[in-house]
Every structure is written in C-alpha cells, then in structure tokens.
Amino acid sequence: MSSPLTFQPVLDRIAAEIAQTPGRGRPADYIPALAACDPRSFGMAVAELDGTVYGVGDWRQPFSTQSITKVFTLALDLAHEADELWEHVGREPSGNPFNSLVQLEYENGIPRNPFINAGALVVTDRLHTQTGDAAGTLLDFLRAESGNEHLAINEEVAASESAHGDRNAALGHFMAAYGNIGNPVPVLLDEYFRQCSVEASCADLALATGFLARHGIRADGTRLLSMSQAKEVNAVMLTCGTYDAAGEFAYRVGLPGKSGVGGGVIAVVPGRCTVCVWSPGLDGHGNSVAGVAALDRFTTITGLSVF
C-alpha cells in the first residue's frame, strides 16, 4: 500500500464482498444476552499509529468484547510483574476448545496459554492481586487508549455469564487446588465475568490495540511494555489467539489476532496499524465467520502480513 488513504476504499470493498457472502454462522447461544445479536451485522475499522481511524458498516456500534479483553489484561499484568507471570501460565497452543479442562490435571494446574479460559483466569487473578481491581484497571486502560470515556461494563451480560459460568468456576477451583490462584475463586470469577462484559466498538478496539502496533507505546507516548514484551504478546496472539483454529487463522490472515465470542476480532500489523472486525455469527471454534473472512481479504488486498 502506498498511502494510508487507501484504507477506506479497501474497507468499502471488503464490506461489499462480505455483504454478498452467504452463511454467517450463529451468535453465541450459551450466553443469553448475546444470542439475540443479528449475525448479518458487520463493522470493520483500521487505526493508524497516529490514531487516524477508518471504518465501514457498524464500526461504531458497541458490542460485547468477551475474550478480546484477554489481550489487554495480559499486557497490563506483564507491565506489572514481567516474566514472573510465565511461571503460572504457558505460551503454547492448546489444541483444545477454549473452555476445556482436560489438560490442567496432567499439567499440574498450569494452563497452556493466557487466551484459553483457564489461562485468562490466571492472568486476571494475578492482575487483581497487583491492582486490587482487575476489571476496573482494564476499563480505565481501554478508555484511555480509545479516547472514549463512555466505555462501560454491561452488567446484564456479566450477570448472564455468571449464571452460566459453572465451567469457569470449575477451572478456577481446579487451579486453586494446585495453588495457582491467589484470590478467592468467587472474587476472581466476578472480576473475570465483568472483564469479559466490557462493550466497545470496532473503532474503540482498533485504537486501544494500537500499543501493540507501536511496539509497546501507549497513545499518550508513554511506554506500557518493552519492545520484547510487545513482541511476546503479538506472538502469543498469532499462535493462540483464535483457540484451536489458530493455525487456520495464521494461514488465512497472517497477523497476530484475538477473537471473542461476541463476534469481534482484533488484529495487529506491527509498525503499521491495527484492525478490528465485528460480526456476531460464529463458527464451531467460537470465531466470527465474517470477521475472519474480512481479515483474510484485508491482508490479501493490502499485502500487510507478518509473513
């Protein structure tokens, strides 16, 4: 691409192609508050390093961020405790569904990576120990980086997740039995469900992810992560960010990315820009069907990839 001004025509082209694509998947039906979303909804935003944002479709429509927030809690905890975190959670793809319990027992309560639910619970637990308010710390960060002080937690979604959160409770208690959870499990679960229930738009999330494209530098010019830490987060996103479909995502998209069952996907082009797509229809792995297709088209059209 010769100029950032070409991003808008690219987004318009992608939106037109996606509109003609049949089969958008199904919204997450195990969280009742998400089940009513229209799978035909579609938004996409690109944020340049200087905060310039381009968008198309429902790019300013807030949606439930869900597991996308795991990227930000990971970065925030790394900023507090650096490599000590990696003694409690691994960095390898799991090859299992995001809410699986099967690996924890024979790996002594150490989750395979920070983006499956077990690993995210560990990260949230440690961030809560560091800050005393994991969900609030996350929300403050997202507001600052996006420039949107109105970002908020949807308490209805949080309550819905809590009411259907038995598997996450099981993960928390299981890891606590191995000494890998420091806070009372009910406290941790409340923080985790509230964390996942933050609502933000494609524009908000593209801007908030910018520190990873700027090699650890926040929107205000201060450093959150070292260059090496930013590389680490991007690497784990590439290999683990879309659960047990991470290999397919790397093959099709070729960027570090993180999905959420609310239908959002963020992606990072280090040194260039960040992208967020939202469409709530999911595939069997919990990834947005239209979102992954749109990112596939984005990297194909622009040639922007880490490969």
Side-chain angles (χ1 to χ4, degrees):
M1 295 182 64
S2 60
S3 165
L5 295 177
T6 57
F7 276 133
Q8 193 61 54
V10 167
L11 294 179
D12 293 339
R13 175 178 169 184
I14 292 170
E17 292 180 5
I18 293 296
Q20 302 302 314
T21 303
R24 295 286 190 90
R26 298 177 57 187
D29 55 8
Y30 61 92
I31 303 173
L34 302 182
C37 291
D38 181 1
R40 301 293 298 179
S41 298
F42 177 83
M44 187 170 185
V46 176
E48 290 275 84
L49 301 186
D50 64 0
T52 303
V53 188
Y54 306 86
V56 71
D58 302 312
W59 66 298
R60 293 198 179 277
Q61 171 67 40
F63 61 90
S64 189
T65 54
Q66 295 295 312
S67 287
I68 291 175
T69 60
K70 296 173 182 178
V71 171
F72 304 105
T73 53
L74 172 61
L76 289 165
D77 189 71
L78 280 174
H80 279 282
E81 63 171 350
D83 287 349
E84 186 177 343
L85 170 65
W86 301 121
E87 298 175 13
H88 302 270
V89 61
R91 298 186 294 270
E92 294 294 334
S94 70
N96 285 305
F98 60 86
N99 57 359
S100 173
L101 292 95
V102 297
Q103 288 173 327
L104 280 176
E105 184 162 17
Y106 59 82
E107 295 184 350
N108 300 315
I110 305 294
R112 188 63 69 90
N113 68 68
F115 294 149
I116 55 175
N117 285 17
L121 285 165
V122 168
V123 174
T124 298
D125 175 68
R126 300 191 67 78
L127 182 62
H128 192 66
T129 297
Q130 295 287 332
T131 65
D133 184 5
T137 299
L138 166 72
L139 187 58
D140 288 345
F141 179 82
L142 293 176
R143 286 172 173 170
E145 297 306 292
S146 68
N148 183 357
E149 63 182 20
H150 301 295
L151 292 184
I153 293 167
N154 185 320
E155 300 293 349
E156 178 190 356
V157 173
S160 179
E161 294 206 38
S162 179
H164 297 81
D166 290 339
R167 184 175 285 265
N168 283 316
L171 290 167
H173 285 293
F174 196 88
M175 291 185 293
Y178 280 93
N180 202 22
I181 296 294
N183 293 283
V185 172
V187 173
L188 167 60
L189 292 172
D190 182 63
E191 291 294 317
Y192 180 71
F193 293 140
R194 296 182 76 245
Q195 164 195 317
C196 291
S197 300
V198 172
E199 290 190 336
S201 69
C202 291
D204 296 326
L205 289 172
L207 287 167
T209 310
F211 73 99
L212 289 173
R214 293 187 293 267
H215 308 294
I217 301 294
R218 295 185 59 167
D220 65 2
T222 61
R223 180 170 288 281
L224 176 71
L225 300 177
S226 69
M227 290 188 68
S228 292
Q229 288 172 327
K231 178 198 70 175
E232 291 169 0
V233 174
N234 281 326
V236 178
M237 287 173 68
L238 180 68
T239 57
C240 308
T242 46
Y243 311 117
D244 49 336
E248 179 71 10
F249 186 84
Y251 174 82
R252 290 182 61 186
V253 176
L255 293 174
K258 183 73 194 82
S259 61
V261 296
V265 190
I266 57 172
V268 180
V269 185
R272 186 62 190 271
C273 65
T274 51
V275 190
C276 182
V277 194
W278 172 62
S279 186
L282 309 179
D283 62 19
H285 300 287
N287 301 314
S288 170
V289 173
V292 174
L295 288 168
D296 182 354
R297 294 299 298 141
F298 178 80
T299 53
T300 299
I301 293 168
T302 64
L304 292 174
S305 167
V306 297
F307 300 113

